[in-house]
Amino acid sequence: MTQAEKYSWASLITTGAIYWFFQMRMLDGWQVVEQSPGQLAGVYIAIVIMTIIAEAFIAGAIAVLNKNGGIEKDERDFAIEAKANQNAAIFLAAAINILIIQVLADAAYPANALPKFMPQLVMNTPGEIFFILFTLLYAAHFVKLISTIILYRK
């Protein structure tokens, strides 16, 4: 297992734990709990700081364990990283376009005019918007990490 693959596995585990903490702060069952803008800012800052600390810790641990002091990358590593970044970008672009279509459809048609197979995505409050957008950012990061792991396994 390469150093980059180890980093991806460790990052996937810590990112999953951080996202779990985030969703525990934001959800009650399947409903977004409405919070004040100050509380949302506090959650945002806490999650960002936790993510920075976790990624720095993982990079530092791998650097200490590696004799050369860091993750050595060759052409294959750079190609895998580029493909994983591309997969994350495609996912994020598709997800944002789905959000745009959903918002336009909600504005253009009454709720009972939309087909029943199309779930209603509620984005009426700052908490709901924050939760959806932050979830998309984390989902794109998950796509990148999982793509990296899969590409190393090929």
Side-chain angles (χ1 to χ4, degrees), residues 75-91 143-148 150-152 154:
E75 294 82 15
R76 179 175 181 250
D77 295 319
F78 287 117
I80 287 173
E81 184 178 357
K83 181 64 175 165
N85 285 330
Q86 181 184 23
N87 290 344
I90 290 169
F91 170 82
V143 167
K144 176 187 173 187
L145 295 172
I146 292 168
S147 293
T148 301
I150 290 170
L151 290 169
Y152 272 108
K154 284 185 176 183

Side-chain angles (χ1 to χ4, degrees), residues 3 20 46 50 56 70 72 81 87 100-101 103 108 113 120-121 126 146 150 154:
Q3 298 294 333
W20 177 79
M50 288 170 59
E72 293 182 16
E81 184 178 357
N87 290 344
I100 290 170
I101 291 168
V103 169
Q120 189 77 13
L121 184 63
I146 292 168
I150 290 170
K154 284 185 176 183

Side-chain angles (χ1 to χ4, degrees), residues 24-41:
M24 293 296 291
R25 289 286 199 196
M26 295 296 297
L27 297 178
D28 180 21
W30 292 99
Q31 298 293 320
V32 175
V33 176
E34 195 50 43
Q35 301 178 38
S36 71
Q39 291 172 316
L40 292 174

Side-chain angles (χ1 to χ4, degrees), residues 107-131:
Y109 302 104
N112 58 359
L114 292 175
K116 296 297 179 207
F117 64 86
M118 188 172 175
Q120 189 77 13
L121 184 63
V122 180
M123 295 194 323
N124 296 331
T125 65
E128 292 165 345
I129 294 168
F130 170 66
F131 179 76

Side-chain angles (χ1 to χ4, degrees), residues 48-66:
V48 169
I49 289 173
M50 288 170 59
T51 302
I52 291 169
I53 291 170
E55 293 293 322
F57 177 78
I58 293 167
I62 288 178
V64 167
L65 294 175
N66 191 3

